Amino acid sequence: PIEAMAVDVSNPVLTRKDNWIVQGGVLTAITPTAAQLLATAQATQKAVIADAFKNATYNVPISYMGTTFFTDQNSQTMLSGALTVLNPIGSTPAGFSWWDATDTAVPMTLAQLQGLAVAILTMFNTNFAKQKSLLAQISAATTVATVQAIVW
């Protein structure tokens, strides 16, 4: 690695670019401080945990009533909309079904549909609490190695 090398510059004024600095005609690599490395590792790992939360919450089907149902945001929005309409009525219409992750119609009562919503909400809450705990651990970590060891 190049630590320092002479550079032909007409103006010896301090110049910075990326991780290099030209000062007095010498190009020198800037070595990040331990605090900068830790902050970078923390930001990177927080992004990894946020992505893992989204994946675990919206891309993993949930088991319910002997089958699995999608939990993506569109599915959650449709379920919430259905319950908004059906809860005041107090029941599902005759022949009502909710489609599972295999594209099979699953007959459901209002209580079963509410149960699916509760199962998804419980999974979401569990994942959210886990995410918050991991993010707090990352913030409290004092070494890059500790930060990188915090995984979903």
Side-chain angles (χ1 to χ4, degrees):
I2 300 172
E3 292 183 12
M5 61 187 236
V7 174
D8 182 19
V9 292
S10 58
N11 186 350
V13 175
L14 177 67
T15 305
R16 285 183 93 124
K17 177 140 175 66
D18 299 320
N19 291 329
W20 296 91
I21 191 168
V22 177
Q23 187 173 18
V26 177
L27 180 64
T28 307
I30 300 172
T31 304
T33 65
Q36 290 169 325
L37 291 171
L38 178 60
T40 299
Q42 287 171 321
T44 299
Q45 204 63 12
K46 285 179 178 182
V48 168
I49 294 301
D51 285 344
F53 164 76
K54 288 176 188 172
N55 185 56
T57 304
Y58 301 116
N59 296 330
V60 177
I62 191 166
S63 294
Y64 181 71
M65 291 180 53
T67 188
T68 56
F69 293 89
F70 289 122
T71 60
D72 59 276
Q73 289 178 321
N74 186 50
S75 296
Q76 289 185 33
T77 299
M78 290 184 348
L79 179 58
S80 177
L83 289 171
T84 298
V85 170
L86 296 173
N87 278 332
I89 297 169
S91 65
T92 55
F96 180 86
S97 295
W98 198 256
W99 297 87
D100 72 4
T102 66
D103 274 343
T104 302
V106 179
M108 283 198 192
T109 64
L110 179 58
Q112 290 168 324
L113 194 63
Q114 291 167 333
L116 175 59
V118 168
I120 292 172
L121 181 61
T122 300
M123 182 235 3
F124 177 89
N125 190 56
T126 299
N127 290 345
F128 186 76
K130 181 176 181 175
Q131 177 191 27
K132 288 298 186 185
S133 173
L134 294 173
L135 293 175
Q137 291 174 45
I138 291 168
S139 292
T142 57
T143 68
V144 171
T146 303
V147 168
Q148 292 172 339
I150 300 169
V151 295
W152 189 262

